[in-house]
Amino acid sequence: MESKLEFLKEYTLSENQNIKIIPFHEVRGIGSEMIPKSWFNIFEHKDTDRRIELLLEVWKTCSPVTLSNTISYLTENLYEVDLVYFNDRYSILYSVKSQSGEIQYYEGRNPLDPFNNIELQNNWCKIPQLIRNFYENLHNGFYFYASKAMGLVPLENVTFFGDDEWGIIESLNEPIQINLQTTFGFFKNGMSGYVAIDYTNAENDNATLWFSNDQPEYNINFWDTIDEWIVIGFQD
């Protein structure tokens, strides 16, 4: 447990170092409005295998097809899950085995977190239902903790393309095929890459792989791309 706490403290981007792993006997003391009911059901158990089993059931309910490879990898390589409290919020800490056997830590944010993204909130009903379902019922972002990337970012960090000046636009080989004013980047790879949704052209999970320093790829499948990249992050 101490190694986890030290890791969290090292990569927490905040002066607030009030970090705690919640033991099972304290879970019922958390206010019912603070975490989802399913989290109470998971973390009231002391047994790690039972926690993992119950948490994966939530994944399968919320993302049975869209993130099938991610779920499969977690089923085989999820070592431990903890309910953690830091930065004045609750999250789930995932301890995931890489291909080399190293433990990597992923954070699954609380779907009850405040929205904290006015532009996205104003257009939330226009975002595809499957994306909204993930954020509202599973996690407000799921990503590699150290880099805060290689996953779906929290709502507060979803990039509104209309707010940024994209220098790459001047270097595009063809006219831009998305409307920056209706486009949001939900996934970051940590190396200037985004998986973005233009909600005016998002039918059948249509998305854009957007780079701040390279040519974009249009008409990709949102979930297929994210599923593949999350697993790549797990394995490395």
Side-chain angles (χ1 to χ4, degrees):
M1 182 177 293
E2 287 300 319
S3 62
K4 291 179 188 176
L5 289 173
E6 290 304 315
F7 178 88
L8 292 173
K9 290 177 181 178
E10 180 178 357
Y11 289 99
T12 296
L13 305 178
S14 172
E15 294 181 358
N16 178 5
Q17 294 293 317
N18 181 23
I19 300 173
K20 182 178 182 179
I21 296 176
I22 309 298
F24 78 98
H25 61 271
E26 294 184 10
V27 172
R28 286 294 168 183
I30 300 171
S32 60
E33 75 285 356
M34 301 301 295
I35 61 175
K37 181 179 178 180
S38 61
W39 290 24
F40 285 105
N41 296 336
I42 293 166
F43 291 104
E44 69 179 1
H45 293 279
K46 184 178 181 180
D47 181 70
T48 295
D49 290 341
R50 182 58 176 157
R51 288 183 173 192
I52 290 173
E53 178 185 2
L54 291 171
L55 182 53
L56 289 176
E57 286 179 7
V58 179
W59 275 82
K60 292 171 184 177
T61 298
C62 296
S63 302
V65 177
T66 53
L67 293 174
S68 59
N69 293 319
T70 297
I71 293 171
S72 178
Y73 192 94
L74 288 173
T75 300
E76 296 296 326
N77 298 282
L78 184 54
Y79 176 75
E80 202 166 26
V81 291
D82 294 284
L83 181 62
V84 296
Y85 180 80
F86 56 95
N87 291 349
D88 299 320
R89 57 180 170 80
Y90 291 95
S91 288
I92 295 178
L93 183 69
Y94 290 70
S95 301
V96 184
K97 293 180 184 178
S98 68
Q99 282 190 325
S100 65
E102 179 185 0
I103 298 297
Q104 305 200 73
Y105 296 110
Y106 278 73
E107 180 181 5
R109 288 276 297 268
N110 187 348
L112 301 184
D113 284 346
F115 214 99
N116 292 335
N117 187 325
I118 294 176
E119 192 67 39
L120 180 59
Q121 188 170 16
N122 289 340
N123 294 283
W124 189 237
C125 63
K126 303 170 187 174
I127 301 299
Q129 180 63 53
L130 290 176
I131 297 176
R132 286 184 281 143
N133 186 55
F134 182 95
Y135 279 92
E136 293 172 358
N137 298 293
L138 182 55
H139 284 306
N140 174 26
F142 175 79
Y143 47 83
F144 180 48
Y145 187 81
S147 67
K148 308 297 188 288
M150 286 306 286
L152 288 156
V153 299
L155 292 173
E156 63 193 55
N157 295 331
V158 169
T159 301
F160 173 49
F161 276 38
D163 275 347
D164 289 332
E165 296 183 6
W166 301 97
I168 188 63
I169 292 177
E170 300 175 0
S171 304
L172 295 181
N173 296 333
E174 57 185 2
I176 188 170
Q177 297 180 28
I178 58 174
N179 181 348
L180 299 181
Q181 299 302 319
T182 55
T183 298
F184 293 89
F186 287 90
F187 182 101
K188 296 179 182 179
N189 69 355
M191 297 177 290
S192 76
Y194 303 79
V195 181
I197 286 284
D198 179 349
Y199 63 71
T200 63
N201 183 27
E203 188 175 353
N204 298 320
D205 301 324
N206 185 57
T208 296
L209 184 56
W210 182 267
F211 299 95
S212 60
N213 56 4
D214 203 353
Q215 301 298 311
E217 296 180 29
Y218 299 107
N219 303 315
I220 65 167
N221 183 279
F222 180 84
W223 291 108
D224 287 352
T225 304
I226 287 174
D227 197 22
E228 180 180 357
W229 274 9
I230 290 178
V231 172
I232 289 172
F234 285 159
Q235 293 172 335
D236 288 345

